[in-house]
Amino acid sequence: FPVTIGFCILLNILTMVNSPKNIYLKHSQGRGLGVFALNPIFVGDVIEDCPLLSLPIEKGEVSSLLIDYRFNYPVGSTWDEQVIALGYGSFYNHSNDPNAIWTNHPNLKKVFRFVAIKDIQENEEIFVYYGGDNYWSDGRTDTLSKLV
């Protein structure tokens, strides 16, 4: 999914409603866009709450729709649907040594909460762990070959 000017404008509109105050987007070397700390963020701090937008993908369906930006909801071993996290939620890059996690919001349905699991310095990129083999073998390679 190429990041277009129209997509960036839509992202700006969606984030103006509840714009995160302590983070920003910028180019991440070798990764495209990434989320960075505007100020220091400490272990346990809530980085961002992201409302979720349901995608028209049936469970088990092969689809390349926003494949690099979508999540399973709810978080856990069983899930009900594929979603896009609004705000900056779909722009956190992967690391095997993350400094943040996302969880289901403790009180709101269809909202992810991103939380620091390590202290994050000003201007440091915020990373999450996408998952092990289950994530990387979810059909990303197979999906593209089946759709071509």
mmCIF file of all heavy atoms in Angstrom, residues 59-94:
data_model
loop_
_atom_site.group_PDB
_atom_site.id
_atom_site.type_symbol
_atom_site.label_atom_id
_atom_site.label_comp_id
_atom_site.label_asym_id
_atom_site.label_seq_id
_atom_site.Cartn_x
_atom_site.Cartn_y
_atom_site.Cartn_z
ATOM 1 N N LYS A 59 -12.847 -13.631 8.267
ATOM 2 C CA LYS A 59 -11.841 -14.472 8.912
ATOM 3 C C LYS A 59 -11.479 -15.620 7.978
ATOM 4 O O LYS A 59 -12.356 -16.298 7.458
ATOM 5 C CB LYS A 59 -12.362 -14.990 10.246
ATOM 6 C CG LYS A 59 -11.283 -15.489 11.162
ATOM 7 C CD LYS A 59 -11.798 -15.693 12.563
ATOM 8 C CE LYS A 59 -10.663 -16.034 13.480
ATOM 9 N NZ LYS A 59 -11.081 -16.121 14.869
ATOM 10 N N GLY A 60 -10.191 -15.805 7.710
ATOM 11 C CA GLY A 60 -9.721 -16.851 6.816
ATOM 12 C C GLY A 60 -9.622 -16.427 5.360
ATOM 13 O O GLY A 60 -9.071 -17.151 4.544
ATOM 14 N N GLU A 61 -10.147 -15.252 5.040
ATOM 15 C CA GLU A 61 -10.093 -14.750 3.664
ATOM 16 C C GLU A 61 -8.677 -14.307 3.313
ATOM 17 O O GLU A 61 -7.986 -13.700 4.134
ATOM 18 C CB GLU A 61 -11.049 -13.561 3.515
ATOM 19 C CG GLU A 61 -11.041 -12.900 2.157
ATOM 20 C CD GLU A 61 -11.942 -11.673 2.090
ATOM 21 O OE1 GLU A 61 -12.733 -11.439 3.029
ATOM 22 O OE2 GLU A 61 -11.834 -10.940 1.104
ATOM 23 N N VAL A 62 -8.239 -14.610 2.104
ATOM 24 C CA VAL A 62 -6.946 -14.148 1.619
ATOM 25 C C VAL A 62 -7.148 -12.754 1.033
ATOM 26 O O VAL A 62 -7.958 -12.571 0.131
ATOM 27 C CB VAL A 62 -6.384 -15.105 0.545
ATOM 28 C CG1 VAL A 62 -5.114 -14.547 -0.050
ATOM 29 C CG2 VAL A 62 -6.139 -16.475 1.149
ATOM 30 N N SER A 63 -6.439 -11.781 1.575
ATOM 31 C CA SER A 63 -6.596 -10.404 1.111
ATOM 32 C C SER A 63 -5.294 -9.646 1.323
ATOM 33 O O SER A 63 -4.628 -9.803 2.345
ATOM 34 C CB SER A 63 -7.713 -9.713 1.894
ATOM 35 O OG SER A 63 -7.767 -8.347 1.565
ATOM 36 N N SER A 64 -4.957 -8.813 0.361
ATOM 37 C CA SER A 64 -3.793 -7.949 0.515
ATOM 38 C C SER A 64 -4.195 -6.559 1.010
ATOM 39 O O SER A 64 -3.340 -5.692 1.175
ATOM 40 C CB SER A 64 -3.041 -7.828 -0.817
ATOM 41 O OG SER A 64 -3.875 -7.204 -1.781
ATOM 42 N N LEU A 65 -5.475 -6.354 1.284
ATOM 43 C CA LEU A 65 -5.974 -5.050 1.711
ATOM 44 C C LEU A 65 -5.228 -4.557 2.948
ATOM 45 O O LEU A 65 -5.324 -5.156 4.015
ATOM 46 C CB LEU A 65 -7.477 -5.126 2.002
ATOM 47 C CG LEU A 65 -8.139 -3.838 2.489
ATOM 48 C CD1 LEU A 65 -8.094 -2.766 1.391
ATOM 49 C CD2 LEU A 65 -9.571 -4.104 2.914
ATOM 50 N N LEU A 66 -4.457 -3.505 2.786
ATOM 51 C CA LEU A 66 -3.730 -2.865 3.887
ATOM 52 C C LEU A 66 -2.945 -3.867 4.731
ATOM 53 O O LEU A 66 -2.821 -3.716 5.948
ATOM 54 C CB LEU A 66 -4.694 -2.060 4.753
ATOM 55 C CG LEU A 66 -5.432 -0.931 4.030
ATOM 56 C CD1 LEU A 66 -6.545 -0.373 4.892
ATOM 57 C CD2 LEU A 66 -4.476 0.175 3.610
ATOM 58 N N ILE A 67 -2.382 -4.873 4.085
ATOM 59 C CA ILE A 67 -1.753 -5.990 4.797
ATOM 60 C C ILE A 67 -0.634 -5.554 5.744
ATOM 61 O O ILE A 67 -0.443 -6.143 6.804
ATOM 62 C CB ILE A 67 -1.274 -7.088 3.825
ATOM 63 C CG1 ILE A 67 -0.969 -8.371 4.606
ATOM 64 C CG2 ILE A 67 -0.087 -6.626 2.998
ATOM 65 C CD1 ILE A 67 -0.904 -9.603 3.758
ATOM 66 N N ASP A 68 0.094 -4.505 5.410
ATOM 67 C CA ASP A 68 1.196 -4.065 6.277
ATOM 68 C C ASP A 68 0.748 -3.102 7.367
ATOM 69 O O ASP A 68 1.574 -2.634 8.157
ATOM 70 C CB ASP A 68 2.290 -3.414 5.440
ATOM 71 C CG ASP A 68 3.022 -4.436 4.587
ATOM 72 O OD1 ASP A 68 3.140 -5.598 5.008
ATOM 73 O OD2 ASP A 68 3.474 -4.068 3.493
ATOM 74 N N TYR A 69 -0.547 -2.799 7.428
ATOM 75 C CA TYR A 69 -1.040 -1.812 8.386
ATOM 76 C C TYR A 69 -2.150 -2.349 9.285
ATOM 77 O O TYR A 69 -2.584 -1.674 10.199
ATOM 78 C CB TYR A 69 -1.564 -0.571 7.642
ATOM 79 C CG TYR A 69 -0.497 0.085 6.815
ATOM 80 C CD1 TYR A 69 -0.353 -0.218 5.466
ATOM 81 C CD2 TYR A 69 0.397 0.983 7.383
ATOM 82 C CE1 TYR A 69 0.642 0.363 4.705
ATOM 83 C CE2 TYR A 69 1.396 1.571 6.626
ATOM 84 C CZ TYR A 69 1.514 1.254 5.288
ATOM 85 O OH TYR A 69 2.501 1.827 4.542
ATOM 86 N N ARG A 70 -2.601 -3.565 9.042
ATOM 87 C CA ARG A 70 -3.760 -4.053 9.776
ATOM 88 C C ARG A 70 -3.365 -4.908 10.974
ATOM 89 O O ARG A 70 -2.264 -5.443 11.055
ATOM 90 C CB ARG A 70 -4.696 -4.812 8.844
ATOM 91 C CG ARG A 70 -4.152 -6.114 8.329
ATOM 92 C CD ARG A 70 -5.057 -6.690 7.253
ATOM 93 N NE ARG A 70 -4.657 -8.041 6.902
ATOM 94 C CZ ARG A 70 -4.825 -8.572 5.718
ATOM 95 N NH1 ARG A 70 -5.396 -7.874 4.755
ATOM 96 N NH2 ARG A 70 -4.438 -9.805 5.494
ATOM 97 N N PHE A 71 -4.317 -5.018 11.894
ATOM 98 C CA PHE A 71 -4.154 -5.768 13.134
ATOM 99 C C PHE A 71 -5.297 -6.770 13.261
ATOM 100 O O PHE A 71 -6.368 -6.584 12.700
ATOM 101 C CB PHE A 71 -4.286 -4.837 14.355
ATOM 102 C CG PHE A 71 -3.208 -3.816 14.509
ATOM 103 C CD1 PHE A 71 -3.225 -2.640 13.780
ATOM 104 C CD2 PHE A 71 -2.198 -4.006 15.438
ATOM 105 C CE1 PHE A 71 -2.252 -1.682 13.962
ATOM 106 C CE2 PHE A 71 -1.217 -3.046 15.623
ATOM 107 C CZ PHE A 71 -1.242 -1.881 14.887
ATOM 108 N N ASN A 72 -5.074 -7.770 14.093
ATOM 109 C CA ASN A 72 -6.151 -8.639 14.532
ATOM 110 C C ASN A 72 -6.760 -8.018 15.785
ATOM 111 O O ASN A 72 -6.041 -7.511 16.653
ATOM 112 C CB ASN A 72 -5.638 -10.036 14.871
ATOM 113 C CG ASN A 72 -5.105 -10.767 13.666
ATOM 114 O OD1 ASN A 72 -5.500 -10.512 12.536
ATOM 115 N ND2 ASN A 72 -4.201 -11.695 13.906
ATOM 116 N N TYR A 73 -8.087 -8.070 15.900
ATOM 117 C CA TYR A 73 -8.772 -7.559 17.087
ATOM 118 C C TYR A 73 -9.757 -8.612 17.569
ATOM 119 O O TYR A 73 -10.469 -9.189 16.766
ATOM 120 C CB TYR A 73 -9.519 -6.254 16.775
ATOM 121 C CG TYR A 73 -10.306 -5.767 17.975
ATOM 122 C CD1 TYR A 73 -9.666 -5.070 18.990
ATOM 123 C CD2 TYR A 73 -11.653 -6.051 18.104
ATOM 124 C CE1 TYR A 73 -10.377 -4.653 20.102
ATOM 125 C CE2 TYR A 73 -12.367 -5.643 19.217
ATOM 126 C CZ TYR A 73 -11.723 -4.939 20.208
ATOM 127 O OH TYR A 73 -12.415 -4.540 21.321
ATOM 128 N N PRO A 74 -9.796 -8.810 18.902
ATOM 129 C CA PRO A 74 -8.969 -8.213 19.938
ATOM 130 C C PRO A 74 -7.585 -8.852 19.997
ATOM 131 O O PRO A 74 -7.351 -9.904 19.407
ATOM 132 C CB PRO A 74 -9.751 -8.504 21.224
ATOM 133 C CG PRO A 74 -10.542 -9.741 20.924
ATOM 134 C CD PRO A 74 -10.833 -9.697 19.450
ATOM 135 N N VAL A 75 -6.677 -8.196 20.740
ATOM 136 C CA VAL A 75 -5.332 -8.732 20.944
ATOM 137 C C VAL A 75 -5.474 -10.053 21.685
ATOM 138 O O VAL A 75 -6.276 -10.177 22.598
ATOM 139 C CB VAL A 75 -4.472 -7.751 21.790
ATOM 140 C CG1 VAL A 75 -3.144 -8.377 22.164
ATOM 141 C CG2 VAL A 75 -4.271 -6.443 21.054
ATOM 142 N N GLY A 76 -4.709 -11.044 21.291
ATOM 143 C CA GLY A 76 -4.742 -12.340 21.962
ATOM 144 C C GLY A 76 -4.653 -13.469 20.955
ATOM 145 O O GLY A 76 -4.533 -13.249 19.752
ATOM 146 N N SER A 77 -4.750 -14.673 21.466
ATOM 147 C CA SER A 77 -4.584 -15.833 20.586
ATOM 148 C C SER A 77 -5.799 -16.072 19.697
ATOM 149 O O SER A 77 -5.692 -16.682 18.644
ATOM 150 C CB SER A 77 -4.267 -17.082 21.405
ATOM 151 O OG SER A 77 -5.315 -17.332 22.320
ATOM 152 N N THR A 78 -6.959 -15.616 20.114
ATOM 153 C CA THR A 78 -8.138 -15.693 19.253
ATOM 154 C C THR A 78 -8.577 -14.273 18.928
ATOM 155 O O THR A 78 -8.486 -13.381 19.766
ATOM 156 C CB THR A 78 -9.300 -16.444 19.931
ATOM 157 O OG1 THR A 78 -9.658 -15.762 21.121
ATOM 158 C CG2 THR A 78 -8.894 -17.877 20.262
ATOM 159 N N TRP A 79 -9.030 -14.077 17.728
ATOM 160 C CA TRP A 79 -9.446 -12.742 17.308
ATOM 161 C C TRP A 79 -10.712 -12.845 16.479
ATOM 162 O O TRP A 79 -11.032 -13.904 15.950
ATOM 163 C CB TRP A 79 -8.320 -12.028 16.557
ATOM 164 C CG TRP A 79 -7.734 -12.817 15.425
ATOM 165 C CD1 TRP A 79 -6.715 -13.735 15.491
ATOM 166 C CD2 TRP A 79 -8.130 -12.779 14.056
ATOM 167 N NE1 TRP A 79 -6.461 -14.263 14.254
ATOM 168 C CE2 TRP A 79 -7.321 -13.691 13.349
ATOM 169 C CE3 TRP A 79 -9.096 -12.071 13.339
ATOM 170 C CZ2 TRP A 79 -7.447 -13.907 11.976
ATOM 171 C CZ3 TRP A 79 -9.210 -12.281 11.976
ATOM 172 C CH2 TRP A 79 -8.389 -13.189 11.313
ATOM 173 N N ASP A 80 -11.406 -11.720 16.358
ATOM 174 C CA ASP A 80 -12.693 -11.692 15.678
ATOM 175 C C ASP A 80 -12.641 -11.034 14.306
ATOM 176 O O ASP A 80 -13.415 -11.381 13.432
ATOM 177 C CB ASP A 80 -13.724 -10.936 16.518
ATOM 178 C CG ASP A 80 -13.975 -11.603 17.857
ATOM 179 O OD1 ASP A 80 -13.892 -12.841 17.937
ATOM 180 O OD2 ASP A 80 -14.246 -10.872 18.826
ATOM 181 N N GLU A 81 -11.761 -10.049 14.165
ATOM 182 C CA GLU A 81 -11.759 -9.293 12.916
ATOM 183 C C GLU A 81 -10.421 -8.622 12.677
ATOM 184 O O GLU A 81 -9.583 -8.541 13.557
ATOM 185 C CB GLU A 81 -12.875 -8.254 12.914
ATOM 186 C CG GLU A 81 -12.722 -7.196 13.998
ATOM 187 C CD GLU A 81 -13.840 -6.174 13.967
ATOM 188 O OE1 GLU A 81 -14.186 -5.678 12.875
ATOM 189 O OE2 GLU A 81 -14.361 -5.858 15.054
ATOM 190 N N GLN A 82 -10.259 -8.114 11.457
ATOM 191 C CA GLN A 82 -9.073 -7.349 11.075
ATOM 192 C C GLN A 82 -9.457 -5.875 11.105
ATOM 193 O O GLN A 82 -10.553 -5.496 10.656
ATOM 194 C CB GLN A 82 -8.622 -7.745 9.681
ATOM 195 C CG GLN A 82 -8.297 -9.224 9.571
ATOM 196 C CD GLN A 82 -6.832 -9.468 9.435
ATOM 197 O OE1 GLN A 82 -6.225 -9.056 8.476
ATOM 198 N NE2 GLN A 82 -6.268 -10.151 10.402
ATOM 199 N N VAL A 83 -8.554 -5.055 11.633
ATOM 200 C CA VAL A 83 -8.834 -3.635 11.828
ATOM 201 C C VAL A 83 -7.619 -2.791 11.445
ATOM 202 O O VAL A 83 -6.500 -3.295 11.350
ATOM 203 C CB VAL A 83 -9.211 -3.341 13.299
ATOM 204 C CG1 VAL A 83 -10.481 -4.062 13.714
ATOM 205 C CG2 VAL A 83 -8.063 -3.702 14.238
ATOM 206 N N ILE A 84 -7.884 -1.517 11.271
ATOM 207 C CA ILE A 84 -6.835 -0.499 11.120
ATOM 208 C C ILE A 84 -6.902 0.362 12.367
ATOM 209 O O ILE A 84 -7.996 0.763 12.803
ATOM 210 C CB ILE A 84 -7.093 0.381 9.876
ATOM 211 C CG1 ILE A 84 -6.861 -0.415 8.616
ATOM 212 C CG2 ILE A 84 -6.211 1.619 9.880
ATOM 213 C CD1 ILE A 84 -5.437 -0.836 8.386
ATOM 214 N N ALA A 85 -5.757 0.643 12.956
ATOM 215 C CA ALA A 85 -5.699 1.526 14.116
ATOM 216 C C ALA A 85 -5.582 2.964 13.613
ATOM 217 O O ALA A 85 -4.679 3.283 12.838
ATOM 218 C CB ALA A 85 -4.501 1.171 14.996
ATOM 219 N N LEU A 86 -6.504 3.800 14.029
ATOM 220 C CA LEU A 86 -6.441 5.205 13.654
ATOM 221 C C LEU A 86 -5.375 5.890 14.506
ATOM 222 O O LEU A 86 -4.668 5.241 15.263
ATOM 223 C CB LEU A 86 -7.818 5.847 13.809
ATOM 224 C CG LEU A 86 -8.922 5.194 12.966
ATOM 225 C CD1 LEU A 86 -10.259 5.898 13.197
ATOM 226 C CD2 LEU A 86 -8.567 5.203 11.488
ATOM 227 N N GLY A 87 -5.266 7.194 14.398
ATOM 228 C CA GLY A 87 -4.148 7.877 15.025
ATOM 229 C C GLY A 87 -2.875 7.411 14.335
ATOM 230 O O GLY A 87 -2.855 7.219 13.121
ATOM 231 N N TYR A 88 -1.826 7.197 15.096
ATOM 232 C CA TYR A 88 -0.567 6.719 14.520
ATOM 233 C C TYR A 88 -0.400 5.215 14.673
ATOM 234 O O TYR A 88 0.649 4.664 14.374
ATOM 235 C CB TYR A 88 0.615 7.430 15.178
ATOM 236 C CG TYR A 88 0.664 8.922 14.938
ATOM 237 C CD1 TYR A 88 1.248 9.766 15.866
ATOM 238 C CD2 TYR A 88 0.151 9.487 13.777
ATOM 239 C CE1 TYR A 88 1.313 11.134 15.644
ATOM 240 C CE2 TYR A 88 0.208 10.844 13.552
ATOM 241 C CZ TYR A 88 0.785 11.661 14.499
ATOM 242 O OH TYR A 88 0.846 13.014 14.277
ATOM 243 N N GLY A 89 -1.437 4.539 15.142
ATOM 244 C CA GLY A 89 -1.354 3.119 15.487
ATOM 245 C C GLY A 89 -0.802 2.200 14.423
ATOM 246 O O GLY A 89 -0.115 1.242 14.737
ATOM 247 N N SER A 90 -1.080 2.483 13.167
ATOM 248 C CA SER A 90 -0.627 1.601 12.099
ATOM 249 C C SER A 90 0.758 1.978 11.571
ATOM 250 O O SER A 90 1.207 1.404 10.581
ATOM 251 C CB SER A 90 -1.650 1.603 10.958
ATOM 252 O OG SER A 90 -2.840 0.975 11.385
ATOM 253 N N PHE A 91 1.425 2.906 12.243
ATOM 254 C CA PHE A 91 2.746 3.353 11.778
ATOM 255 C C PHE A 91 3.892 2.990 12.723
ATOM 256 O O PHE A 91 5.034 3.351 12.477
ATOM 257 C CB PHE A 91 2.743 4.864 11.529
ATOM 258 C CG PHE A 91 1.898 5.222 10.350
ATOM 259 C CD1 PHE A 91 0.583 5.606 10.513
ATOM 260 C CD2 PHE A 91 2.402 5.134 9.066
ATOM 261 C CE1 PHE A 91 -0.208 5.911 9.423
ATOM 262 C CE2 PHE A 91 1.629 5.433 7.965
ATOM 263 C CZ PHE A 91 0.309 5.825 8.147
ATOM 264 N N TYR A 92 3.582 2.269 13.813
ATOM 265 C CA TYR A 92 4.655 1.809 14.691
ATOM 266 C C TYR A 92 5.391 0.686 13.974
ATOM 267 O O TYR A 92 4.781 -0.262 13.500
ATOM 268 C CB TYR A 92 4.098 1.293 16.022
ATOM 269 C CG TYR A 92 3.513 2.380 16.888
ATOM 270 C CD1 TYR A 92 2.179 2.761 16.764
ATOM 271 C CD2 TYR A 92 4.291 3.032 17.828
ATOM 272 C CE1 TYR A 92 1.629 3.752 17.558
ATOM 273 C CE2 TYR A 92 3.758 4.038 18.628
ATOM 274 C CZ TYR A 92 2.429 4.390 18.486
ATOM 275 O OH TYR A 92 1.900 5.375 19.266
ATOM 276 N N ASN A 93 6.697 0.780 13.892
ATOM 277 C CA ASN A 93 7.504 -0.240 13.224
ATOM 278 C C ASN A 93 7.853 -1.375 14.185
ATOM 279 O O ASN A 93 7.789 -1.221 15.402
ATOM 280 C CB ASN A 93 8.766 0.389 12.625
ATOM 281 C CG ASN A 93 8.442 1.193 11.383
ATOM 282 O OD1 ASN A 93 7.723 0.731 10.502
ATOM 283 N ND2 ASN A 93 8.956 2.412 11.310
ATOM 284 N N HIS A 94 8.250 -2.503 13.587
ATOM 285 C CA HIS A 94 8.572 -3.727 14.325
ATOM 286 C C HIS A 94 10.013 -3.733 14.819
ATOM 287 O O HIS A 94 10.923 -3.258 14.140
ATOM 288 C CB HIS A 94 8.371 -4.935 13.411
ATOM 289 C CG HIS A 94 8.932 -6.204 13.968
ATOM 290 N ND1 HIS A 94 8.262 -6.958 14.908
ATOM 291 C CD2 HIS A 94 10.108 -6.841 13.742
ATOM 292 C CE1 HIS A 94 9.002 -8.012 15.216
ATOM 293 N NE2 HIS A 94 10.125 -7.964 14.527
#
